[in-house]
Structure formats: C-alpha cells, structure tokens
Amino acid sequence: MNAFQKFKTIIEERNSFLIVCHERADGDSIGSLLALGEVLDSLGKQAVLVSSSGVPPVFRFLKGSDKIKQDFLLGDFEAVILVDNGDFHRTGFADRLAVFHKKRIPLINIDHHPKNDLWRISTVNYVDTNVSSTCELIYSIITQLGVEITPTLATSLLTGIYTDTAGFQHTNTSSSVLEVSSALLRRGAKLKQISANVSNSRSVTMLKLWGIALSRLSFNHDLGMAYSVLTKDDIESVGASEDEVSGLVNLINAIPNSRIALLLYETKDGRIKGSLRTESDNVDLSRLANYFGGGGHRRASGFSLSGRLRQDAGIWRAV
Ligand SMILES: [Mn+2]
C-alpha cells in the first residue's frame, strides 16, 4: 500500500483525530490544520486541532481558527495527524506523542521538510520535499479523496501556499504551485484577504521594532551576509511581541547580491533565535541551521540557542 492508501484506510476506519502542527505556527501549519479539520468534519469525523503556541494574529481572519487549541488531553484519539512539523520535538508535545506511539495509535506524518525524524515513529509518512508547502501536499490528498473543496477550505490551503512561497516570490513557486493556486481560486479562495492580512498588515509596534533592527543592519562582504539583531529590551521598549519579529528577515533578504540574510533575536525565556533566508541556489540553509541544532528548508531555516546578545565595542556577540 502506498502512503495515500494507508492514510485513506486510517481515515475511513477511525473516527476521532488529533491534528498537531509545529511550535511558533506559520501560515502553512495553520492552513494545514484548518484544511484537514474541515475535511474530517465533512466526512463526519471528530478532530481536535492543536497549535502549541496558538494562532498568530495575522491568521485569525481564517474561519475556524478560533477553534484551534493550544493544548490537549491524552483522551480517546484513534489517530494522530502531524502537519508541517519537520521533526519530533518541534511539535511541542514529544512526550505525549511518544505515549500515543507506545499505545500503537496510528501517527500520520504529512510534511515537506527535508530533516524529518518523525518517520521513525509514524505509521504513515506522507512526505514530499519537492512541494512548496504542506498545504500543497494536502491539496493533492484532498483531490485524491474526492472531497469537495469549499471556499473556506480553498482559502486555508492557499494561505499555506502563499506564506511558504512568500507571496509567490520564492523559487519554490513552481508551475504546480500556480496550477494548484489557480484551482483553489476557482473554488473560491480569497487571495486578496490572505495578502491583506499576511503581507500588508503591519502594526505600529511592529514597524518601530523593525526600524530598530534595520538601523543596525550590517553587511559582511566576505560572507555575502546581511544581518541584524534585536534584544528582549528592544522588543519591550516599543511594546511589541516576539510574534512581530516574523517577516522582518524576509525584508533583510531583499538586498541584491546578498547570499544570506540572518536575524538574531532574544526571547523571553533566555534564548537566542536565529532566522535565515537566502535567494541563492548555492546555499543550503537547512545544513547551516542543523549545525546550530535547528532545521528547515534550503532557503528558509532557523535555530535556537541558549544565551543573550551583548554589544561589545560595536560588535554583537552571543554570550
Ligand atoms: Mn511549511
């Protein structure tokens, strides 16, 4: 049986599902949760949708996003679906997922990340690293299942494709991305609503925070790397939240001839997060992020280290 047939069998035979996306959810994870939730609902199944860090404000326009929970009880789930996770610990619930695994509850892993250790414990691995997004993968599952694509379902899926291609700008915007997006638009996906909320919605605190980072922007000619830093104090000084850092690294990545864009910022819990972006075909940022214990894609990756950022004689260091 191939991955789709195994997936279909589990969906047909079971009734109660748990769907979990990764920590610090993005548009692809929220879109994937909502899309699969709607599909299971239309098949008369129960599904609990979980994002350990909640729903970022820019995705709260999506219908049903208010039903996404931050936590769950072990409960009577008959199957667990993991979407867009990249690896086991990124789910935020590694311990509880290990319990499901021990109880032999089927785990279905749907993903497009290259570093994926979930295969070891998953019953079904529906993984394709060549697609733009988990939502693009879920579109193919839905069409094979023959489920009707409603305007809300189409909007959820297009949100994941839109955000993981940075609004159809990244080189992962393949002809298939445009074909799937076109099909979703025909089904009533609201592209304008997505772009208005995701790309063109910047709060005053967010822009002030970005201003601090942009004023510190440096360019290392030897590495071809543009980089900047934000401290916890910077984030607090303008009344911003850590969520509002998201998107800034894409702006830093817009510099012509830059090979790598890096943003380092301090989190409340004493860590330093790094976000990496590139437009270069010759750089694999998933490997660079792996080196620091993180992960992601060739062109977009991230990592997290314990420590603080300190400026010393004009040079920022992690201490
Ligand atoms: Mn993704």
Side-chain angles (χ1 to χ4, degrees):
M1 262 202 282
N2 67 26
F4 173 73
Q5 285 162 334
K6 283 191 202 163
F7 173 79
K8 190 167 178 249
T9 307
I10 293 171
I11 298 296
E12 283 167 352
E13 289 175 351
R14 318 246 162 176
N15 284 304
S16 168
F17 295 84
L18 171 69
I19 315 178
V20 180
C21 71
H22 61 75
E23 293 176 306
R24 294 187 58 83
D26 57 17
D28 195 23
S29 1
I30 298 297
S32 296
L33 283 183
L34 292 174
L36 282 178
E38 187 176 330
V39 167
L40 290 170
D41 189 54
S42 76
L43 296 170
K45 313 280 177 174
Q46 309 288 325
V48 172
L49 315 180
V50 179
S51 161
S52 63
S53 40
V55 179
V58 292
F59 303 119
R60 291 189 193 148
F61 75 95
L62 288 167
K63 222 171 146 194
S65 59
D66 54 329
K67 296 194 184 77
I68 294 176
K69 297 180 166 31
Q70 277 188 255
D71 206 345
F72 61 93
L73 298 170
L74 278 171
D76 297 323
F77 298 111
E78 294 168 57
V80 180
I81 307 176
L82 303 161
V83 288
D84 200 42
N85 277 287
D87 66 58
F88 192 49
H89 286 277
R90 217 168 154 231
T91 59
F93 301 104
D95 295 349
R96 272 180 266 174
L97 294 177
V99 174
F100 288 124
H101 176 57
K102 265 192 195 141
K103 287 184 173 174
R104 297 185 177 277
I105 290 167
L107 297 181
I108 302 166
N109 174 33
I110 304 176
D111 202 1
H112 70 125
H113 287 84
K115 181 198 168 191
N116 201 313
D117 61 3
L118 280 166
W119 62 270
R120 269 182 251 147
I121 58 159
S122 297
T123 322
V124 180
N125 281 294
Y126 203 96
V127 178
D128 184 349
T129 57
N130 294 312
V131 295
S132 65
S133 51
T134 301
C135 279
E136 188 183 345
L137 204 50
I138 293 175
Y139 172 81
S140 88
I141 293 175
I142 292 173
T143 48
Q144 289 178 78
L145 280 174
V147 171
E148 191 202 331
I149 297 182
T150 64
T152 50
L153 184 50
T155 303
S156 298
L157 292 173
L158 191 60
T159 298
I161 294 172
Y162 182 91
T163 53
D164 267 18
T165 58
F168 307 109
Q169 293 183 68
H170 283 334
T171 43
N172 61 356
T173 310
S174 61
S175 60
S176 151
V177 161
L178 295 177
E179 277 161 18
V180 169
S181 301
S182 161
L184 292 173
L185 286 172
R186 279 197 300 277
R187 300 286 176 186
K190 295 193 166 56
L191 178 59
K192 176 63 201 167
Q193 205 181 27
I194 298 168
S195 66
N197 280 279
V198 175
S199 305
N200 301 322
S201 155
R202 311 276 186 231
S203 65
V204 172
T205 50
M206 182 187 254
L207 291 176
K208 282 184 175 174
L209 185 65
W210 289 22
I212 296 173
L214 294 177
S215 70
R216 281 191 196 133
L217 193 64
S218 298
F219 191 79
N220 180 313
H221 288 274
D222 295 334
L223 296 171
M225 181 170 78
Y227 60 97
S228 190
V229 297
L230 282 171
T231 66
K232 186 167 90 58
D233 288 348
D234 294 329
I235 297 172
E236 281 167 8
S237 73
V238 294
S241 68
E242 278 170 34
D243 285 345
E244 293 182 294
V245 173
S246 133
L248 172 54
V249 71
N250 295 322
L251 190 57
I252 298 175
N253 193 31
I255 302 167
N257 307 323
S258 146
R259 293 178 72 217
I260 303 175
L262 167 68
L263 177 72
L264 293 170
Y265 63 97
E266 293 179 342
T267 65
K268 278 189 212 137
D269 56 359
R271 298 189 71 80
I272 300 167
K273 294 230 173 171
S275 292
L276 290 155
R277 296 288 184 279
T278 186
E279 290 299 324
S280 166
D281 290 328
N282 307 319
V283 176
D284 183 352
L285 293 178
S286 69
R287 288 177 60 193
L288 187 54
N290 273 330
Y291 180 77
F292 293 109
H297 306 280
R298 285 181 70 90
R299 293 173 188 282
S301 68
F303 58 87
S304 158
L305 308 165
S306 67
R308 314 303 298 158
L309 293 164
R310 291 285 171 266
Q311 200 178 20
D312 180 17
I315 295 169
W316 287 92
R317 296 179 197 283
V319 293

